[in-house]
Amino acid sequence: YGPVRYWSEMLRDLSLPFPPLPRMRGIAILGWSDITQEAAREVHNQAFADHWGSEPITPEGWEHYHDEFFLPEASYVAYDGETPVAYLTSAMYPHDFESRGRTEAWIEGLGTIRSHRGRGIAATMILEAFARYRDRDLQYAAIGVDSENPTGAVGLYEKMGFVAEKQSVTYAKSFD
């Protein structure tokens, strides 16, 4: 077996000041609804098409992610006109608070289609989610990330105040 991928679990202390909102033009960020849910799945499939190990998610599979832990009030879809271009989904796992020693919400999914990356859309949605997490008196935001993410996600998360808390490794068996 040998290492094939490295992952980071990152945390953001919500008591610290938030960075300023990026300037965006022509982008509308909508809250979660039955309509935006399908748009988010479509964006996810486009945004993660070139990511290691990613497979398209079917509508039935997408439903699985929206269980009792899902936070629709802290989940969004961004549109450029009529076109969905980014999404963010959040979840909270209260049964983990005691063992983790903190209250937290997770950014479970975050993606922007290639043509709209680098425009501050993801950062804006992250800041919106942070505000909703604070509204629930949560102490931290958490996110998991592929350390070799081709979009530069790790750098974005660091700019948003996330710090790596722990890392994990995916191993694969070599058949040479």
Side-chain angles (χ1 to χ4, degrees):
Y1 287 90
V4 294
R5 212 61 173 189
Y6 296 88
W7 309 90
S8 292
E9 185 175 296
M10 302 181 82
L11 282 179
R12 197 330 172 148
D13 184 340
L14 296 173
S15 70
L16 299 175
F18 295 163
L21 271 173
R23 291 182 172 216
M24 291 189 316
R25 295 191 180 189
I27 302 296
I29 296 177
L30 302 180
W32 201 259
S33 71
D34 290 341
I35 295 168
T36 60
Q37 178 171 310
E38 178 56 20
R41 185 187 71 80
E42 292 171 5
V43 169
H44 173 86
N45 286 341
Q46 288 180 50
F48 285 87
D50 57 356
H51 284 55
W52 182 83
S54 184
E55 294 283 332
I57 299 176
T58 65
E60 298 78 24
W62 190 248
E63 280 291 322
H64 168 75
Y65 292 105
H66 307 107
D67 56 18
E68 69 269 24
F69 305 112
F70 178 60
L71 294 175
E73 71 274 15
S75 298
Y76 310 96
V77 178
Y79 288 82
D80 185 351
E82 300 283 320
T83 305
V85 296
Y87 83 101
L88 180 147
T89 55
S90 297
M92 182 175 68
Y93 305 97
H95 56 276
D96 289 339
F97 291 175
E98 186 176 342
S99 66
R100 290 178 65 82
R102 62 180 168 257
T103 61
E104 64 193 5
W106 282 80
I107 296 174
E108 289 288 341
L110 177 61
T112 304
I113 63 173
R114 186 179 303 242
S115 62
H116 284 69
R117 292 177 183 159
R119 295 173 55 181
I121 301 168
T124 299
M125 289 190 301
I126 290 170
L127 290 171
E128 290 290 335
F130 285 174
R132 298 300 74 75
Y133 301 163
R134 268 193 188 167
D135 290 348
R136 286 180 162 262
D137 294 323
L138 297 172
Q139 298 167 307
Y140 288 88
I143 193 166
V145 64
D146 176 346
S147 298
E148 297 175 43
N149 182 307
T151 66
V154 173
L156 168 65
Y157 303 152
E158 289 172 341
K159 286 179 188 174
M160 301 305 295
F162 283 96
V163 294
E165 180 186 42
K166 61 183 179 179
Q167 296 192 325
S168 59
V169 181
T170 298
Y171 290 87
K173 187 173 183 177
S174 175
F175 293 99
D176 293 338

